[in-house]
Amino acid sequence: MATITRSAALDEAHGGDIRGALGTISADDLASRAGLSAKLKTLLAIVGPGLIVMCGDNDAGAFSTYGQAGQNYGTRLLWTLLLLVPVLYVNQEMVLRLGAVTGVGHARLLIERFGRSWAALMVVYLLILNALTLVTEFIGITMAAGYLGVPKPVAVLLAAGVILAAAATGSFRRFERIAVALCAGSLLLIPLYVVSHPAGAAMIRGFAEPGLPGGSGQLATVMLLIIGIVGTTVAPWQLFFQQSYVVDKRITPRFIRYEKADLWIGIVIVVVGAAALTGAVAAAFAGTRGAGNFTDATGLAHGIAAHAGKIAGAVFAVALLDASIIGAFAVSLSTAYAVGDTLGLKHSLNSGFRQAKGFYAIYAALIAVAAAIVLIPHAPLGLIIEGVQALAGVLLPAATVFLLMLCNDRAVLGPWVNSRRTNVFTSVVITVLIALSAVLTASVVFPGITGRQILVIIGGCVTAAVAVGGWTLLRSLRVQSSVEIDRRDRENWRMPPLNVLSKPVMSGSRKCALAVLGGYMGIAMILVIVRIIEMAIGH
């Protein structure tokens, strides 16, 4: 058997036993998992990163988006949820592979392979976006608590206290147990669906018959909602979170297949929960004055209560509260991990406050700022929600392009680099994400955008991507035809220490592509911020 190569830059907090919420795997456990019982115990110990990142994705913003689809269009947009499966899997599979093989967080890899300037730019954008995203999570918390009769200040302070206390224990296992317990709360959407009695035939048709309801006059509105449904499931924070969380949990290449199973469990919960929420809301508002007139999550709770009873409304509010807290957990950790990587701070849930003061200070500061903004009287919270969606669209193309380049870096992933088939499939998904992000950005800057203009933007993005992708594919075929990748014994391969890796050679075409990408991000960010300020002044 080959000698195991130690990972790049792990400190003492990132080495040792895997101590998950549901089990432990010793660091010197090299036994094969032959029986079903052994495989199940291993899976239980590994479960966590994929489950938490996916349940964190079904957050306050997702509740509003799925609820809007159900209230305004019934079950006729359920087919869009099937689009989420490849989109959810592709990006997260690549980052979990990067985390397990390299033992290094996403921001750290960006610094080492693309330079500190690019990494700093990405982390600054991420910090701004995540801070605003946290505000939306606290908006969800206040809406849920308000429906349940809890005053806003009390709800915000209690939620902030829970979120801070969960991470500040200095124990990875204790944090993960709290997070997994909250993930189980996502299952509340299933009984909510049952008591709402949506029509089974309508649910089936919604999945099986893709269409754009509302006619040509509402094409832009419907398409922007569809983009919101897909876009709300893929956020830049997820990439930084899962890679660092996999490293923090001490998962190695031996357990990648179990971590992929963990990710699939999370994906199934997200899609089932989204379908259950959409179906329940569709049934609650069918044939009522509220149909087609979405307002916010509080309106959804009242509509469900009127249809299925007060208990059902309370269950919806509790599920929203649960989802918002999970989202706040994940977004805060994502930021603290990324900033810790960038500044060289110790950043691990396995370390106590005294060992990682900077890490916990960043985490706590984000929570405090978000909670304070929500409590400001007459704060433009609606604009913040809209701004989050648009800014995520600006950052997403760069994040996905860098991710794809990292997963084709042989010095980093060795035998774990993407296969040609994976690259083709991933490129298609990235093309779709770039097109959606461009439309999201344009819709904020130019709120009067029409359905035809949206189609033109998507068509232009696809055409450009096909041209660039075709050229890249032909170039990669010439390079890879002479170099074979030995994928044997992958479980024992880990990235060598970063200080011994040769720096990647930046070709002229790559520099040009990155310059274009950076220009797009800068211009789009400025346009979005200016537009949001104009809207705030007008408001």
Side-chain angles (χ1 to χ4, degrees):
M1 179 177 291
T3 302
I4 298 177
T5 302
R6 293 196 62 81
S7 186
L10 301 181
D11 57 30
E12 65 279 3
H14 292 119
D17 300 345
I18 297 174
R19 298 182 180 276
L22 305 176
T24 301
I25 301 175
S26 173
D28 56 5
D29 180 358
L30 302 177
S32 61
R33 268 65 177 174
L36 179 61
S37 175
K39 291 179 179 178
L40 180 59
K41 288 180 180 178
T42 302
L43 176 61
L44 289 175
I46 295 298
V47 161
L51 176 64
I52 295 169
V53 77
M54 288 294 99
C55 288
D57 183 53
N58 248 6
D59 59 358
F63 263 61
S64 293
T65 304
Y66 302 142
Q68 182 178 358
Q71 182 173 347
N72 290 358
Y73 301 106
T75 59
R76 288 173 289 178
L77 291 179
L78 282 174
W79 59 272
T80 59
L81 299 181
L82 299 180
L83 301 178
L84 304 182
V85 177
V87 175
L88 288 168
Y89 181 76
V90 165
N91 281 359
Q92 296 309 127
E93 188 277 334
M94 288 195 288
V95 289
L96 75 84
R97 193 164 11 113
L98 280 170
V101 174
T102 69
V104 175
H106 200 65
R108 178 70 181 276
L109 276 184
L110 290 177
I111 292 171
E112 296 295 334
R113 306 310 286 171
F114 300 104
R116 187 167 292 276
S117 296
W118 266 110
L121 182 65
M122 293 291 290
V123 171
V124 168
Y125 282 167
L126 182 77
L127 181 61
I128 296 170
L129 176 60
N130 283 4
L132 294 175
T133 303
L134 265 176
V135 175
T136 68
E137 307 299 357
F138 274 96
I139 293 172
I141 289 169
T142 59
M143 287 184 174
Y147 179 83
L148 296 172
V150 179
K152 179 188 286 189
V154 174
V156 169
L157 291 175
L158 285 177
V162 169
I163 297 166
L164 289 171
T169 62
S171 167
F172 183 96
R173 168 170 280 178
R174 279 196 289 270
F175 172 84
E176 188 165 88
R177 282 177 172 170
I178 295 170
V180 170
L182 288 169
C183 288
S186 301
L187 301 176
L188 284 171
L189 293 172
I190 296 177
L192 180 66
Y193 172 87
V194 173
V195 300
S196 298
H197 304 295
M203 293 287 293
I204 294 173
R205 283 196 303 272
F207 278 111
E209 299 177 0
L212 298 175
S216 59
Q218 296 186 27
L219 182 60
T221 302
V222 176
M223 289 190 68
L224 286 174
L225 179 57
I226 291 173
I227 290 169
I229 292 173
V230 178
T232 195
T233 64
V234 184
W237 68 260
Q238 295 172 303
L239 309 181
F240 290 83
F241 172 84
Q242 183 160 335
Q243 184 168 333
S244 291
Y245 196 85
V246 164
V247 174
D248 214 3
K249 192 166 181 177
R250 304 162 178 170
I251 293 173
T252 64
R254 291 188 64 230
F255 303 106
I256 281 182
R257 62 181 180 274
Y258 291 98
E259 182 49 40
K260 288 182 180 179
D262 171 39
L263 177 59
W264 276 114
I265 291 170
I267 290 172
V268 169
I269 290 177
V270 164
V271 174
V272 169
L277 176 59
T278 303
V281 173
F285 286 92
T288 69
R289 293 182 179 179
N293 296 302
F294 172 79
T295 53
D296 54 30
T298 303
L300 296 176
H302 285 295
I304 290 172
H307 171 74
K310 292 183 178 180
I311 293 179
V315 169
F316 172 86
V318 172
L320 172 60
L321 179 64
D322 176 84
S324 300
I325 292 176
I326 297 174
F329 271 170
V331 172
S332 301
L333 266 183
S334 168
T335 313
Y337 280 140
V339 175
D341 265 336
T342 305
L343 300 181
L345 304 174
K346 283 191 174 183
H347 50 288
S348 173
L349 290 170
N350 293 295
S351 302
F353 177 76
R354 291 183 178 180
Q355 292 77 39
K357 294 179 181 177
F359 171 69
Y360 289 108
I362 294 165
Y363 182 90
L366 280 168
I367 299 298
V369 170
I373 290 174
V374 170
L375 292 177
I376 296 174
H378 309 299
L381 301 180
L383 291 180
I384 291 174
I385 295 174
E386 190 171 359
V388 164
Q389 192 176 40
L391 292 175
V394 172
L395 184 59
L396 185 59
T400 52
V401 169
F402 279 122
L403 174 60
L404 185 59
M405 288 193 289
L406 285 173
C407 285
N408 283 280
D409 190 333
R410 295 186 184 185
V412 169
L413 282 183
W416 290 96
V417 293
N418 284 359
S419 65
R420 189 175 299 159
R421 181 173 58 183
T422 301
N423 279 335
V424 171
F425 181 69
T426 304
S427 297
V428 172
V429 173
I430 288 177
T431 299
V432 173
L433 293 178
I434 290 174
L436 297 184
S437 74
V439 173
L440 280 174
T441 304
S443 68
V444 173
V445 178
F446 308 106
I449 192 169
T450 66
R452 178 170 295 182
Q453 289 169 332
I454 289 174
L455 293 175
V456 169
I457 292 173
I458 293 175
C461 290
V462 170
T463 301
V466 168
V468 175
W471 176 80
T472 304
L473 179 61
L474 290 173
R475 189 167 175 270
S476 66
L477 288 175
R478 288 198 299 269
V479 174
Q480 292 182 12
S481 60
S482 60
V483 181
E484 293 295 330
I485 300 174
D486 185 358
R487 297 183 185 271
R488 295 173 296 179
D489 200 29
R490 291 195 302 173
E491 291 186 355
N492 293 318
W493 195 95
R494 299 200 78 180
M495 183 182 75
L498 287 169
N499 59 359
V500 304
L501 291 184
S502 58
K503 295 295 182 181
V505 178
M506 296 289 284
S507 64
S509 58
R510 175 170 288 193
K511 290 179 180 178
C512 180
L514 290 179
V516 171
L517 193 61
Y520 162 77
M521 290 175 62
I523 294 171
M525 182 74 75
I526 292 171
L527 289 175
V528 169
I529 291 175
V530 169
R531 178 58 185 165
I532 291 174
I533 292 173
E534 289 177 347
M535 294 168 66
I537 293 173
H539 177 76

